[in-house]
Amino acid sequence: MTTRASLMAFTIDCDDPKALAAFYHEVTGMEVTYAEDEYAAISDGTVNIYFGRVPDRKPVRWPSPDKQFHLDLQVPDVEQAAAEYVTLGATRPEFQPGVTEEGTRWIVLQDPQGHLFCVCRKS
C-alpha cells in the first residue's frame, strides 16, 4: 500500500515574499505567520501558503502553455472581488475564458508578481 501524504502547504516562488504574503493576506484574510526577506507564510490554521524568494523569477504570459499552477479562490461576487484585488495590485489580463455572454463564472487575475489566480463564484 502507498503511504498517504497530507498537504502541509503550497509554496509560491517570488521576488518579494513579504509583499506577496501581504497581498494574499488581504485577499484571503489568512494571517501572516512568518515574514522575512527570503521567506514568508500565511495560514488559516489548516491551509498554509508559503512564499520563497527566487531572484529574477519571470512571470508566465497568459494565455500560455507555460502556466504550471494557479490558485482558485471562491467569493460571493466575482466582479466586485476582482475589482478590489486589482485595487490591491493585481492585474486583469485581457483573455478571460470564464466570462461569457451567459455571465461571469470566473475571472483570471495576476497577482502583483505575475502569478495567475482565478476568482470563482462561490456555489
Side-chain angles (χ1 to χ4, degrees):
M1 179 171 171
T2 302
T3 301
R4 300 290 175 180
S6 59
L7 182 64
M8 181 179 84
F10 188 85
T11 301
I12 299 175
D13 296 340
C14 60
D15 289 335
D16 188 344
K18 288 185 346 186
L20 205 55
F23 172 80
Y24 280 106
H25 159 72
E26 291 297 323
V27 168
T28 65
M30 296 169 80
E31 292 300 316
V32 175
T33 56
Y34 189 81
E36 296 293 334
D37 290 339
E38 297 296 317
Y39 197 74
I42 61 173
S43 179
D44 66 2
T46 302
V47 174
N48 299 283
I49 303 175
Y50 299 157
F51 306 92
R53 186 170 186 279
V54 176
D56 303 320
R57 188 195 69 74
K58 301 203 180 358
V60 298
R61 292 176 298 111
W62 172 249
S64 154
D66 297 332
K67 177 177 66 87
Q68 297 178 342
F69 77 91
H70 69 274
L71 300 175
D72 289 331
L73 305 174
Q74 288 186 322
V75 297
D77 185 324
V78 173
E79 290 287 351
Q80 178 182 337
E84 292 171 359
Y85 303 158
V86 167
T87 300
L88 292 172
T91 56
R92 185 173 175 161
E94 186 175 323
F95 179 62
Q96 292 293 328
V99 179
T100 67
E101 290 180 14
E102 292 80 38
T104 301
R105 293 177 47 213
W106 73 87
I107 294 174
V108 177
L109 296 178
Q110 287 183 282
D111 70 26
Q113 295 192 30
H115 302 96
L116 297 166
F117 68 102
C118 291
V119 181
C120 305
R121 182 176 47 211
K122 195 170 198 165
S123 320

